[in-house]
Amino acid sequence: QASGPLREGLVQVRDTIDRGKALTSQMLAFSRRQALEARPVDVNELAAGVVKMLERIIGVNIRLVMLPADRPTTVLADPGQIEQVLMNLCMNARDAMPAGGTVRLHTEVLDLDDRFTATRAWALPGRYTRIQVSDTGLGMDAATRRRIFEPFFTTKGQGKGTGLGLAVVFGIVKQHGGFIDVESTPGQGATFSVYLPYYEAGAS
């Protein structure tokens, strides 16, 4: 068993390898342009599975709450990629609360009309499944919000983030024909809203 300076060195090597693996995985996801393996999936079911997994790893000082829609939240999507979106958003929320707090994952189906899209250039009218991930953390100012989805942009300390997590989320959502928005105020947490086109069974 290594001890003292040797042990510390080995730990640093292990941590560097782990960060390298995480960065490689994120880079592959970010650069991926392969065809989606899309099928009808209920976001409620995917979210429930993600929450169950996160409850074991997210941290004892983090309260994770799921508020599912009371109706099917079906979208035509690659389930693995949507799970990655949920995981990345929830872990990002956790990292925004170093002293602990609450992460809320809320799903619902809603219709976006012309009044909604008139004030949001990124939105298109239609029926969507909306996924919202909210935290009670540090929040962001306007300058940070404008850059939050840029590749390699991060507010975390050196060695604590790749700056690709939210860029990957943005890319996956766009690839599914959806869009994402964030609302945040310094000191008052943040809410990320993902809109994915709702899938009507039997629709052409």
Side-chain angles (χ1 to χ4, degrees):
Q1 287 257 341
S3 60
L6 178 58
R7 179 178 177 82
E8 292 178 6
L10 291 174
V11 170
Q12 290 179 2
V13 170
R14 184 195 62 193
D15 290 346
T16 299
I17 292 172
D18 289 344
R19 286 197 299 271
K21 287 180 179 178
L23 178 59
T24 301
S25 177
Q26 295 275 36
M27 286 291 289
L28 289 172
F30 178 70
S31 63
R32 181 168 50 199
R33 292 295 183 269
Q34 65 189 36
L36 295 174
E37 296 181 11
R39 61 180 175 83
V41 294
D42 191 326
V43 174
N44 278 344
E45 295 180 4
L46 289 181
V50 168
V51 167
K52 186 176 182 180
M53 179 169 50
L54 284 174
E55 285 175 338
R56 299 194 296 267
I57 64 174
I58 201 167
V60 295
N61 62 341
I62 302 294
R63 180 170 174 253
L64 187 58
V65 178
M66 181 173 173
L67 305 170
D70 59 2
R71 58 177 290 184
T73 51
T74 311
V75 297
L76 192 63
D78 184 316
Q81 292 197 22
I82 301 306
E83 285 178 347
Q84 185 175 5
V85 166
L86 296 172
M87 287 285 293
N88 282 9
L89 289 177
C90 287
M91 297 304 282
N92 184 74
R94 180 204 64 178
D95 292 343
M97 301 184 295
T102 300
V103 178
R104 288 184 174 84
L105 200 165
H106 179 214
T107 62
E108 62 181 327
V109 175
L110 72 167
D111 295 302
L112 304 185
D113 58 19
D114 291 336
R115 288 176 298 177
F116 182 91
T117 59
T119 58
R120 298 165 177 86
W122 41 263
L124 294 173
R127 176 164 293 180
Y128 292 86
T129 290
R130 181 170 70 178
I131 307 163
Q132 288 189 314
V133 176
S134 304
D135 65 67
T136 57
L138 302 172
M140 295 174 279
D141 59 22
T144 301
R145 290 197 308 273
R146 284 193 294 269
R147 299 190 61 193
I148 199 68
F149 298 114
E150 292 180 10
F152 305 109
F153 176 76
T154 180
T155 58
K156 301 172 185 176
Q158 186 175 2
K160 293 185 178 181
T162 64
L164 282 174
L166 291 177
V168 168
V169 166
F170 183 88
I172 291 174
V173 172
K174 293 289 285 184
Q175 196 175 9
H176 281 80
F179 38 88
I180 184 170
D181 186 38
V182 58
E183 297 179 0
S184 182
T185 302
Q188 298 184 29
T191 296
F192 287 83
S193 298
V194 172
Y195 298 81
L196 297 174
Y198 183 78
Y199 177 76
E200 299 279 0
S204 58

